[in-house]
Amino acid sequence: MEKSLKTSSSRLFNSIYIEEQAFEYPITKEIIKSHPNSPIIKIRHYKDVFNRPKQNFYIQKHNQSLILAVKDKNFLYKGPDVCQNFGHSNFYYTSFLLNCIFDCEYCYLQGMYPSANIVAFVNTEQFKSAIRDVASNEPVFLAASYDTDLIAFHNVIPYMDYFHDFFKENTDILVEIRTKSGNESFYRCHEPLENIIIAFTLSPQGIIDKFERYTPSLETRIKAIRTAISLGYKIRICLDPIFINPESDSLYEPFFKYIFEKINPDDILDLGYGFFRMSRDFFKRIESKSNSRLFAQNYSHYNDVVSYPPDIQNEIKAKHIDIISKYIGKEKIFAL
Amino acid sequence: MWIKLLVLAALPRYDIMFLEILKFMIEQLEGTVWAMIYIVTALMLEASPIIGYFNLKRDMTINSYPVFSNKEIALIVSGIGKVKSAMAATFLISNYRITGSDILINIGFCGAQAGKYPLGTLLLVNKVTDVDTGKDYYPDVYIGDDLPKDSVACCPRPVGDNDNQYECSLFDMESAGIMEAAYKFFNTQQIAIIKIVSDFLSPENLDKQVLRSYIDINMPILDRILNELKQLNSMVTSLDFEAEDKLISLISQNLNLTSAMKQILETEVRNAKRKGLKILEILERHIESKANTKPEGKKIFGEIIKDIKQQAF
């Protein structure tokens, strides 16, 4: 599997599957117009393709197809315990996209979905109404880029163009958009809003090289953060996932120092910190098919979550937080 | 093994380096799992250009179907219709030990709406609709970048221009049967449905020589498709666990492991080998271990699992 699994195609998507009912939506029309060389395959329901048995996730990851679909239910989900809620009790997440263009070796999506193809939901208006319903009673913290990277995908489907005005009008919805993207033009094209937080996932370059295939370098991400800050965006830094092993341990201290040399801590809203962790089910699924040594290590299981043993986590966390808090107040650090 | 002995005997003794390199190459070759290509055609007319091109020989040990093969291709002539194609595909692959690198291909003629493709065009199918059941099948098509790709409707009888009530532009009678069998035994990227346009929905009185020529002219393309498929599927290497399984059996006997514990050990060993860990070394360290009681066996079993996990660091 070390060899490239990409076939020779120069197209962005191997094929574009489109649900019968999705053809009339603006996103679909734009995609058909902008990808004239991709074969279009009409389907009845996205699950007929996405949930097929016996798909090879890793070959698909290198030859991704796009599936355009109309979401009919479950527009929002309650935020899971393994995710940081940053002090917000009414925490939801939503997925306009399933799967990601990046290929992180540690990513839970390999265990969550049977396919590496990307599903993009085109009925944005129904998403808005579902979000509005949930936010009608009390303010909501909404993670909008969990099972994907919306900003990295922005040049394919500009979801923020569809949602920007909606979020501007609905200030009771605090939106977090998590990203590893270095796409600076995104920030130049959209006015920053009080209720939108851009959460950048940062890792030491050694970890990026080892585990985060096709993602921008640390330097590029930091450049994007600086651009976003200069344009008035609220920025969250996510140091997540942190890995514990003899090779990685020495990378973190200089990494923390480097971040705050490049970014003024006063310009940061807050910081999330969390170790590599995953639901036991996802872990088991990935373990049985992945070639990654990451999934051959010995982990602890607690409440159906696989991660490092708690005593080691506490020891490393104390050491790391001690360093980070030299730059940023402890009240701004949210550690899982 | 006899090749190894023959080569070793023929070599000059002084060339130790060369000998070592050659030994290594032979070991690699011995460990190679050759991918098998299974081809299903409905008609002998479709099969015979392929048999000739790849120099396939009739397998005289099989009487139920005409089967032709060489060391990497096995072709079966199924007869017309999806039930026959499903039966033949299942029969063929049941006669071999299929692996994750093998490929199942259906090659055959299809009717097409006039105007979309010229006669003799070779197409890769990315969606098959069984018009009897309404069920859709989707083979993943990663090959033939420059070739046309389209959907096919699999019908119970030949479709003429007058009785075409379907949305599709291509029609055949076997693809749904192949897909049904393929979904059971193969991954979605191991399947290819290849169609060649024989007529514009006027399936009567077709000239056999002309039909044969449509296959003949497409043989170089077909050859290229097979190579692309082989290359793609060889990347998903199926590992051989024979040596590990032998050691696991021995260790399980020595430690009186339960079936569940043996199964856990097998899973851990397979996962570790897939991740490139030197798993045989770990197992070999434990083959001498013996347990007289269940708790002793359980303790050593725990140590083996710990050793495997430890190596991942």
Side-chain angles (χ1 to χ4, degrees), chain B residues 60-260:
Chain B
M60 301 308 283
T61 62
I62 299 173
N63 299 320
S64 323
Y65 287 97
V67 172
F68 302 83
S69 62
N70 64 19
K71 73 175 170 48
E72 56 174 359
I73 296 175
L75 180 149
I76 192 163
V77 183
S78 67
I80 296 170
K82 65 174 178 178
V83 175
K84 286 183 178 172
S85 69
M87 281 168 59
T90 309
F91 175 85
L92 184 63
I93 51 191
S94 303
N95 273 276
Y96 292 81
R97 200 176 133 204
I98 54 170
T99 72
S101 319
D102 292 350
I103 300 151
L104 177 66
I105 296 174
N106 169 227
I107 304 167
F109 293 121
C110 68
Q113 303 268 22
K116 195 165 180 187
Y117 303 106
L119 292 173
T121 304
L122 181 144
L123 300 115
L124 293 165
V125 172
N126 51 25
K127 177 184 174 185
V128 171
T129 301
D130 183 336
V131 300
D132 281 338
T133 62
K135 187 173 174 182
D136 296 323
Y137 302 86
Y138 301 95
D140 278 334
V141 183
Y142 300 122
I143 40 107
D145 212 25
D146 54 330
L147 298 172
K149 295 164 191 78
D150 211 330
S151 308
V152 68
C154 184
C155 302
R157 63 187 68 83
V159 176
D161 207 14
N162 298 329
D163 58 356
N164 175 22
Q165 53 194 303
Y166 311 107
E167 218 183 283
C168 256
S169 50
L170 302 175
F171 303 90
D172 84 331
M173 295 173 68
E174 286 78 34
S175 52
I178 300 290
M179 288 306 297
E180 192 62 41
Y183 267 18
K184 184 79 187 161
F185 300 107
F186 292 94
N187 288 341
T188 50
Q189 85 285 347
Q190 293 177 271
I191 313 157
I193 306 287
I194 300 165
K195 293 289 150 190
I196 294 170
V197 177
S198 60
D199 59 273
F200 296 133
L201 305 188
S202 53
E204 310 82 18
N205 307 320
L206 297 171
D207 183 322
K208 284 187 180 173
Q209 283 308 315
V210 175
L211 288 179
R212 191 193 155 104
S213 75
Y214 293 156
I215 306 253
D216 278 333
I217 53 166
N218 279 303
M219 282 314 298
I221 300 177
L222 184 62
D223 197 6
R224 176 164 65 92
I225 291 172
L226 296 190
N227 282 324
E228 285 183 41
L229 278 167
K230 274 197 292 190
Q231 204 181 345
L232 177 80
N233 282 287
S234 70
M235 291 166 188
V236 194
T237 322
S238 15
L239 292 172
D240 181 6
F241 296 104
E242 205 179 324
E244 287 80 5
D245 283 348
K246 275 182 189 157
L247 293 184
I248 291 170
S249 288
L250 198 62
I251 290 169
S252 302
Q253 258 180 1
N254 289 347
L255 302 182
N256 288 322
L257 298 186
T258 62
S259 314

Side-chain angles (χ1 to χ4, degrees), chain A residues 42 44 52 54 287-288, chain B residues 127 134 138 167 184 274:
Chain A
K42 193 196 264 191
R44 260 172 247 170
R52 280 172 300 165
K54 299 190 177 183
E287 187 187 28
S288 65
Chain B
K127 177 184 174 185
Y138 301 95
E167 218 183 283
K184 184 79 187 161
R274 216 174 282 125

Side-chain angles (χ1 to χ4, degrees), chain A residues 62-76:
Chain A
H62 293 79
N63 301 276
Q64 279 181 313
S65 288
L66 178 66
I67 304 170
L68 300 177
V70 176
K71 183 116 175 135
D72 51 5
K73 57 182 177 189
N74 299 330
F75 292 89
L76 282 95

Side-chain angles (χ1 to χ4, degrees), chain A residues 1 3-11 14-15 17 39-44 48-49 52-56 59-60 63 117 244-247 286-293 295-298, chain B residues 126-127 129 134-136 138-143 145 149 151 167 182-189 228 232-237 268 271-272 274-278 306 308-313:
Chain A
M1 288 278 225
K3 289 178 272 186
S4 170
L5 302 181
K6 173 91 179 147
T7 57
S8 60
S9 173
S10 55
R11 301 184 299 268
N14 184 60
S15 301
Y17 296 90
I40 305 280
I41 305 163
K42 193 196 264 191
I43 58 174
R44 260 172 247 170
D48 296 346
V49 179
R52 280 172 300 165
K54 299 190 177 183
Q55 299 179 78
N56 186 301
I59 289 187
Q60 283 184 344
N63 301 276
N117 292 332
I244 305 176
N245 66 51
E247 271 178 51
I286 300 171
E287 187 187 28
S288 65
K289 61 188 180 187
S290 164
N291 288 355
S292 167
R293 287 190 176 202
F295 293 91
Q297 291 180 22
N298 214 357
Chain B
N126 51 25
K127 177 184 174 185
T129 301
K135 187 173 174 182
D136 296 323
Y138 301 95
D140 278 334
V141 183
Y142 300 122
I143 40 107
D145 212 25
K149 295 164 191 78
S151 308
E167 218 183 283
Y183 267 18
K184 184 79 187 161
F185 300 107
F186 292 94
N187 288 341
T188 50
Q189 85 285 347
E228 285 183 41
L232 177 80
N233 282 287
S234 70
M235 291 166 188
V236 194
T237 322
E268 291 294 344
N271 286 344
R274 216 174 282 125
K275 291 162 181 67
L277 304 181
K278 289 177 179 162
K306 199 174 159 193
I308 296 171
K309 298 279 190 192
Q310 207 66 44
Q311 218 199 55
F313 277 98

Side-chain angles (χ1 to χ4, degrees), chain B residues 17-32:
Chain B
M17 180 92 86
F18 180 66
L19 188 77
E20 287 303 316
I21 293 169
L22 208 71
K23 265 170 72 183
F24 173 76
M25 285 168 65
I26 292 167
E27 277 163 17
Q28 294 296 305
L29 275 171
E30 282 179 346
T32 305

